[in-house]
Amino acid sequence: MNYDSEILFVLNEAGPKGLSIRKIAMHVFNRCNGLFDAISLEDVHRYVASYLMKNSKAPDSIIERTNMRGVYRLNLNNASDQLKFDFKDYVPEDADCVKTEEDGSLSLF
């Protein structure tokens, strides 16, 4: 499992207020746990806590701590890192030039 991308996704959804380590771990656990791939909540919590602490130490890191203890959010001050979070579909500028295929199926009406 790739918990790193799930942590970043959850923090992106949380917004500027951020989330506590416990809530982030629960979201990651719920998104990654499955019927045939059971994982331990304690392992996920330990990984999330170490990942957040490790990646929030530098001032230009993508994750930052808030004023509240144990609450993390995305660092919105560093504009270059925000390119990593462009979740929109890419539409080329010359989208009008793209060939559209004709529907060759028969109409019922």
Side-chain angles (χ1 to χ4, degrees):
M1 287 284 149
N2 188 4
Y3 297 141
D4 300 348
S5 62
E6 295 296 330
I7 292 170
L8 294 176
F9 179 78
V10 169
L11 286 173
N12 185 41
E13 293 291 318
K17 289 185 178 181
L19 281 176
S20 67
I21 296 174
R22 183 180 59 84
K23 288 185 180 182
I24 295 170
M26 285 299 295
H27 282 288
V28 171
F29 175 76
N30 288 335
R31 289 179 60 88
C32 296
N33 197 16
L35 182 63
F36 299 109
D37 188 22
I39 55 176
S40 170
L41 179 60
E42 292 82 23
D43 293 340
V44 173
H45 187 276
R46 193 175 316 117
Y47 181 82
V48 168
S50 66
Y51 178 82
L52 291 173
M53 284 186 238
K54 179 176 64 172
N55 290 318
S56 66
K57 292 199 183 276
D60 61 340
S61 66
I62 200 155
I63 298 170
E64 68 179 353
R65 295 176 70 183
T66 62
N67 295 335
M68 295 174 50
R69 182 177 178 255
V71 177
Y72 293 85
R73 65 179 173 203
L74 292 179
N75 187 358
L76 301 177
N77 296 332
N78 196 351
S80 64
D81 287 338
Q82 292 307 309
L83 295 174
K84 298 177 185 176
F85 294 108
D86 189 15
F87 293 115
K88 298 178 185 173
D89 292 335
Y90 174 73
V91 178
E93 291 178 11
D94 57 343
D96 297 334
C97 298
V98 176
K99 271 184 145 179
T100 57
E101 296 181 24
E102 286 188 29
D103 186 19
S105 62
L106 298 173
S107 174
L108 293 177
F109 299 103

